Amino acid sequence: MTDALLTLSGLSKAYPGVRANDDISFSVGRGEIHALLGENGAGKSTLVKTIYGLVQPDSGSMVLDGQPYNPAEPREARARGVAMVFQHFSLFDALSVAENVALGMENPPGLRALSDRIAEVSRSYGLPLDPARTVGGLSAGERQRVEILRCLLQEPRLLIMDEPTSVLTPQEVEVLFRTLRQLREEGVSILYISHKLGEIRAFCEAATILRQGRVVGTCDPRETEPRAMAEQMVGASFAAPSGAAREPGAPVLALRGLSAPAPQAFGTPLREIEVTVHAGEILGIGGVAGNGQDELTAALSGEMTVAPDMVSLKGTEIGRMGPNARRALGLCAAPEERMGHAAAPDMSLTENAMLTGAQRRGLVHRGFLRWGAARDFASAVIDRFDVRTPGPGTAARALSGGNLQKFVIGREILQAPECLVVNQPTWGVDAAAAAVIRQALIDLAQEGAAVVVISQDLDELMEIADRFCALNEGRLSAPRPMRGLTLEEIGLMLGGAHDLKEAG
Amino acid sequence: MIRLERRREPSRGWALATPFIAVLLTMLAGGLLFAALGKDPVEAIRTIFWDPLFGPYAGYSRPQLLVKAAPLILIATGLSLGFRAGIWNIGAEGQYIVGAICAAAVALAAYPAESVLLFPAMVLAGALGGLLWGLIPGVLRVRFGANEVLTSLMLVYVAEALLAAMALGLLRNPEGRGFPGSRNLAQYPSAANLEILPGSGMHWGVVAALIAVVAAQVIFARHQLGYRIRLTGAAPRAAVFAGVRPGLLVLVCMGFSGALAGLAGMFEVAGPAGRLSIDFGAGYGFTAIIVAFLGRLNPFGILAAGLLMALTYIGGELAQMQLALPVAAIQIFQGMLLFFLLGIDVLTAYRPRIGKARA
């Protein structure tokens, strides 16, 4: 390893009630791809925000290139050669690529000169991008390229990347990795944040593992067992979900030519979706964000109604029915967004139990609410799914992401649905909670329910799904057995119509 | 520098304390205002808050408290249903007027026949008139996406024009020697909304207001409709997921609040006001918005807030007469109440931190 570019010593940052970073020390070498590993809430975000000048540490110091480094704001960090690609893009849909890049620069050159620079840099790094295109029409992978290009134009020496692959297809991930390796060859250091152990093993040279705000280990990921790293992240060993092979039973949910116009301006229309889900089966639906996942979930949950025969449950045509009528027949759903969609943040868990449980758990009698029964139901979910909370009276907002997700999924599972549709069941959830949720989904299928898991996490689908299909621009590919599918085949199914050819 | 930090859960203590602090601050700031106008602030505050109940003329002003509070409470209770769901009916004043017109029209059509059925028919007509007037902005929003704040407010002015047309035309008292205004319904036994207990100010509108408060409390606490209203206000997407049809809810809330405002208009025109006149609309529909928020959109809170607001009305009139305070000063004083309430309200969801900002 070469000498250090950035050295952190004893960085601490406390927020009310939580020590986000506690005495963190490590260093990133020149031309090194350094992984920062940890569960959600381990303090990764606070740490990189400190390095990028968005957060001021309570104590500790940083040295960049032999000089003391204590950026008061991101502009200062950028001036010192530190650039960052955020997990959530900050781009304007209505502006072109070049205009978006110009907005993020201190002294942008003229638009034409900038466009030439963008074209040149994108060619030399194998990131095909037309500077004149409007960002609103770009895929998630292309949007990320805009962010990366914005950083590259500043010729950074340290590039921070926050969960960059969460929105990419495997092929797009390959393109990204090639770019990052090329940057390393040029001497740029990369601080790479992720919790995907596979990709970290593939190309990081050093890794620092955080847990509860502290450094709990450093290792060379190329020589360390993924399982050992995972256990360090979680701080305990946990069982991978397991289940005996299931025999698919009778058809439960059938989609016949399911089509629907986009409900909002930037939504995706659903196009001619055909699939049948059987009892005891988990159908995995993969796809890159924004390809119709939300719309498909809404069409299944009943929030968006379609022609009656497009959706049927055990032979009953339910396309025209609203959410509660579908629940009464045994179709339950859990949408992606926990806060404000699957649950009302300011309401108590009891009230949130009422939200979907009213029908099947008999929480309503002649229009009047049975709060006692709702509280019992909420308590049952809390107990059965190990939701960490003081009690059912707590507001949903006060729960951590993983705990609220366990509550949301548990609430549906305890209604004993005949068919359950979940969208991104473990998104932003810590590994232990994710394992609980996946096991619960497997158990539900084993009890004979048909389960549809819509997810952008391919590892998750490979772990629990029996059959796999891909959602691309509102179209669903024909399902194929999960077992035996290679990552490359999956990538091709996902990428469908995406343009993946590289420039140059 | 003072910063605001979001609380993990809204503070219950602050939610309860806010109205009281707002009233106190209003008294303080109002006192300063009155002092600046050259009046004795202590005397002015006492005239507004104390004299109507216990002063030398309390015998006259005390019954007025219920007379003024009843329409405020009735309207504000209806408004709170929609407000909790984020449906902003600002046009209760118009629904109040139309309710009164409809009720008066029924009574005047029957005049001078006497029947026990007339009063219930007027109640029905008043509620129906307000309901339909409230449904207009509701339908416009559901059908065309028109903002109900604007449409309901604009319909107030339509209702006022309608009132003037009725008072001068169709419903004018034929024996009124050309003066604008209808016959006096208070002198028409079958139609009159008289005091139930003489000297108390307690008329049927007060009874209706109390029933509405209790019913609203039951709806919010125990009924599916109240839950759906609260859910829609707290998380609209979650409400749709829970099976709420947002358009239907808009119609229900606009219709409900319109009907209660129309009822208030009916009780007013048949009792305290007695007749339809050009200046029948006294601003109850607008003041009720303040009452609804002052009462924290909670039925019993609205009950208390309605009484308090009625008190400032009566006390304000007293202060105008006895201390020669300008009417604008009284209105500013009432406006301050809402201003301080909304200002302090921030503290239920946020915690103030004093100190240098840390990123």
Side-chain angles (χ1 to χ4, degrees), chain A residues 46-123:
Chain A
T46 305
L47 184 61
V48 294
K49 281 182 188 161
T50 308
I51 299 173
Y52 194 53
L54 281 166
V55 169
Q56 308 305 313
D58 295 338
S59 61
S61 62
M62 295 184 276
V63 174
L64 182 71
D65 228 0
Q67 303 287 322
Y69 172 67
N70 186 21
E73 51 177 356
R75 194 190 318 200
E76 202 177 325
R78 288 197 291 267
R80 294 285 298 269
V82 176
M84 179 158 174
V85 177
F86 289 90
Q87 188 177 6
H88 299 286
F89 306 141
S90 46
L91 298 173
F92 295 93
D93 280 347
L95 298 182
S96 75
V97 170
E99 285 164 335
N100 265 292
V101 170
L103 278 174
M105 296 176 79
E106 307 298 338
N107 298 305
L111 214 50
R112 182 165 309 171
L114 185 63
S115 296
D116 292 343
R117 279 280 287 145
I118 291 172
E120 180 192 323
V121 173
S122 74
R123 225 177 3 257

Side-chain angles (χ1 to χ4, degrees), chain B residues 8-101:
Chain B
R8 273 163 80 87
E9 289 190 73
S11 157
R12 276 181 170 273
W14 274 107
L16 282 176
T18 304
F20 298 98
I21 297 174
V23 169
L24 271 178
L25 286 175
T26 307
M27 286 186 180
L28 274 175
L32 286 177
L33 172 76
F34 298 144
L37 288 168
K39 314 289 175 190
D40 177 3
V42 176
E43 194 190 352
I45 300 289
R46 201 202 61 218
T47 307
I48 294 175
F49 286 101
W50 181 264
D51 283 358
L53 295 176
F54 310 105
Y57 308 106
Y60 163 75
S61 55
R62 222 178 284 141
Q64 281 296 306
L65 190 66
L66 289 181
V67 170
K68 298 264 191 224
L72 289 176
I73 294 169
L74 200 54
I75 300 171
T77 304
L79 291 180
S80 70
L81 292 179
F83 288 176
R84 282 244 193 143
I87 297 162
W88 306 109
N89 179 4
I90 305 300
E93 180 77 7
Q95 295 138 24
Y96 168 84
I97 289 172
V98 172
I101 293 175

Side-chain angles (χ1 to χ4, degrees), chain A residues 77-389:
Chain A
R78 288 197 291 267
R80 294 285 298 269
V82 176
M84 179 158 174
V85 177
F86 289 90
Q87 188 177 6
H88 299 286
F89 306 141
S90 46
L91 298 173
F92 295 93
D93 280 347
L95 298 182
S96 75
V97 170
E99 285 164 335
N100 265 292
V101 170
L103 278 174
M105 296 176 79
E106 307 298 338
N107 298 305
L111 214 50
R112 182 165 309 171
L114 185 63
S115 296
D116 292 343
R117 279 280 287 145
I118 291 172
E120 180 192 323
V121 173
S122 74
R123 225 177 3 257
S124 60
Y125 286 98
L127 296 170
L129 203 57
D130 177 356
R133 273 185 69 189
T134 308
V135 164
L138 299 182
S139 74
E142 287 169 319
R143 283 163 195 245
Q144 188 183 55
R145 285 179 208 162
V146 180
E147 293 272 8
I148 294 174
L149 274 171
R150 195 190 256 177
C151 292
L152 293 185
L153 288 174
Q154 302 162 23
E155 291 168 359
R157 287 179 301 161
L158 175 66
L159 181 62
I160 304 170
M161 304 209 68
D162 192 359
E163 304 251 350
T165 58
S166 54
V167 295
L168 304 182
T169 63
Q171 276 80 357
E172 285 174 320
V173 170
E174 257 323 299
V175 174
L176 173 69
F177 283 2
R178 217 166 301 162
T179 307
L180 294 184
R181 287 199 188 98
Q182 185 181 342
L183 281 168
R184 174 183 56 190
E185 298 306 317
E186 293 169 8
V188 177
S189 306
I190 293 162
L191 188 58
Y192 188 90
I193 300 165
S194 183
H195 58 242
K196 293 187 182 168
L197 299 170
E199 62 190 45
I200 282 169
R201 277 170 61 81
F203 86 126
C204 292
E205 293 140 359
T208 299
I209 301 169
L210 295 187
R211 188 175 74 239
Q212 289 169 1
R214 296 174 149 274
V215 175
V216 292
T218 52
C219 63
D220 184 339
R222 292 165 299 188
E223 290 161 9
T224 313
E225 277 290 305
R227 185 152 194 94
M229 287 196 280
E231 285 176 5
Q232 269 192 311
M233 267 164 63
V234 181
S237 52
F238 55 90
S242 63
R246 297 175 290 275
E247 279 299 308
V252 175
L253 178 74
L255 307 183
R256 292 287 162 263
L258 171 59
S259 302
Q264 292 125 24
F266 285 102
T268 310
L270 297 176
R271 299 181 170 104
E272 294 287 324
I273 290 177
E274 295 270 343
V275 74
T276 304
V277 195
H278 302 85
E281 170 187 54
I282 298 182
L283 177 73
I285 298 183
V288 177
N291 272 295
Q293 285 91 340
D294 288 346
E295 290 79 3
L296 180 57
T297 312
L300 292 177
S301 71
E303 290 164 86
M304 181 165 81
T305 52
V306 291
D309 59 334
M310 286 182 180
V311 185
S312 47
L313 187 75
K314 296 189 132 184
T316 313
E317 294 184 346
I318 61 168
R320 182 70 74 209
M321 292 181 184
N324 282 329
R326 296 190 190 194
R327 284 185 190 116
L329 289 174
L331 173 60
C332 290
E336 169 179 3
E337 183 64 45
R338 291 182 283 274
M339 290 289 189
H341 194 180
D346 288 322
M347 287 184 148
S348 71
L349 294 180
T350 301
E351 289 171 300
N352 272 298
M354 182 69 80
L355 204 146
T356 67
Q359 293 287 316
R360 291 181 74 76
R361 299 286 300 203
L363 306 182
V364 177
H365 181 67
R366 296 178 171 217
F368 284 89
L369 307 172
R370 299 173 57 209
W371 284 120
R375 192 161 41 245
D376 292 345
F377 178 43
S379 300
V381 175
I382 291 168
D383 290 345
R384 165 75 176 71
F385 288 88
D386 188 27
V387 179
R388 307 279 164 81
T389 172

Side-chain angles (χ1 to χ4, degrees), chain A residues 484-503:
Chain A
L485 271 186
T486 65
L487 207 53
E488 192 173 357
E489 286 172 307
I490 291 174
L492 288 173
M493 288 169 78
L494 293 181
H498 277 295
D499 177 20
L500 283 165
K501 76 177 184 301
E502 288 162 57

